[in-house]
Amino acid sequence: MASRPELILASASPRRLALLNQIGIEPEHLVPAHVDETPEKGELPRKLAQRLADLKALTAQHKARSAGYGAGALVLAADTVVAVGRRILPKAETMEEASQCLALLSGRSHRVYTGLTVLTPSGAKRQRLVETRIRFKRLSTREMEAYLASAEWRDKAGGYAIQGIAGAFVVKLVGSYTGVVGLPLMETASVLAGEGYPVHFNWLNQSASSGV
């Protein structure tokens, strides 16, 4: 039986790691991939999400191999982009940016695109792009002020984190909830399993240990 490949997660995000852990996956290596996330001129949101996922995966792979490990590893990366129409919302770094995002999202529908990239040891690249449609309720001034005061928006695409307080703003979601959080689990599990990673191994162990 061939040994299973190691897994490198190209992220420092605790959310993405927690999502992987949720389905029984513990990456052997965490390799943060800091890249320039500035959209190219005229770049559409879906193209940006996939391009950044690709770039993060390649950056992490290069960092790992330069450090002397990961030659036989799968590299997993993802990037999430929030957009209203063709307009790409920023990862809010200031309260003013977050306020502008909330004002734009209030009472309207928007889309969240999550690009997923897995690089294989042989040099192949597996990609998935997941699109989710979300509608926010109309936010009152009090709700917006309270959310801004929470600082939960900081460094979040579109100025909000759906897994936190902003979950109370969502009227409708069509697509992948975990994709909006940062890593679409169905697609991730499917791609990794297709590349020989034992996604279901820990599920079997959990079943055995619980006596099921």
Side-chain angles (χ1 to χ4, degrees):
M1 178 179 175
S3 61
R4 71 174 179 84
E6 291 189 329
L7 179 63
I8 293 172
L9 177 61
S11 177
S13 167
R15 300 180 303 280
R16 290 195 174 107
L17 179 58
L19 285 168
L20 277 180
N21 292 164
Q22 180 181 320
I23 58 172
I25 296 176
E26 185 68 46
E28 280 75 21
H29 307 285
L30 301 178
V31 183
H34 303 293
V35 302
D36 183 357
E37 300 187 6
T38 305
E40 296 177 348
K41 185 176 181 180
E43 190 170 31
L44 296 176
R46 62 189 303 115
K47 294 290 187 183
L48 175 63
Q50 191 64 70
R51 178 174 67 81
L52 292 180
D54 290 353
L55 185 57
K56 287 179 177 180
L58 286 167
T59 300
Q61 185 181 66
H62 178 73
K63 285 177 66 176
R65 292 185 177 182
S66 296
Y69 65 91
L74 295 168
V75 182
L76 169 66
D79 191 81
T80 301
V81 172
V82 177
V84 176
R86 296 166 65 100
R87 179 174 177 178
I88 297 169
L89 275 60
K91 286 187 177 177
E93 296 180 357
T94 67
M95 189 172 289
E96 182 179 359
E97 281 185 330
S99 178
Q100 291 172 350
C101 287
L102 286 180
L104 188 61
L105 297 174
S106 175
R108 336 179 33 168
S109 294
H110 63 279
R111 295 175 189 261
V112 178
Y113 300 94
T114 302
L116 175 73
T117 300
V118 172
L119 300 180
T120 73
S122 65
K125 179 167 63 177
R126 311 300 182 206
Q127 299 169 306
R128 296 289 187 276
L129 182 70
V130 179
E131 177 182 330
T132 303
R133 289 174 289 160
I134 299 175
R135 183 174 182 84
F136 269 18
K137 63 178 283 188
R138 187 168 297 280
L139 304 176
S140 67
T141 300
R142 183 176 182 182
E143 285 172 322
M144 292 179 67
E145 290 177 347
Y147 188 72
L148 291 170
S150 76
E152 198 178 75
W153 47 266
R154 194 174 301 279
D155 200 35
K156 302 296 192 302
Y160 75 92
I162 196 171
Q163 71 273 22
I165 299 167
F169 302 158
V170 177
V171 174
K172 186 177 183 180
L173 184 151
V174 180
S176 171
Y177 173 83
T178 55
V180 178
V181 177
L183 189 69
L185 289 182
M186 188 277 286
E187 291 78 7
T188 299
S190 176
V191 173
L192 290 178
E195 294 303 324
Y197 192 85
V199 173
H200 310 117
F201 179 76
N202 284 338
W203 303 4
L204 297 169
N205 282 353
Q206 288 172 4
S207 175
S209 63
S210 63
V212 174

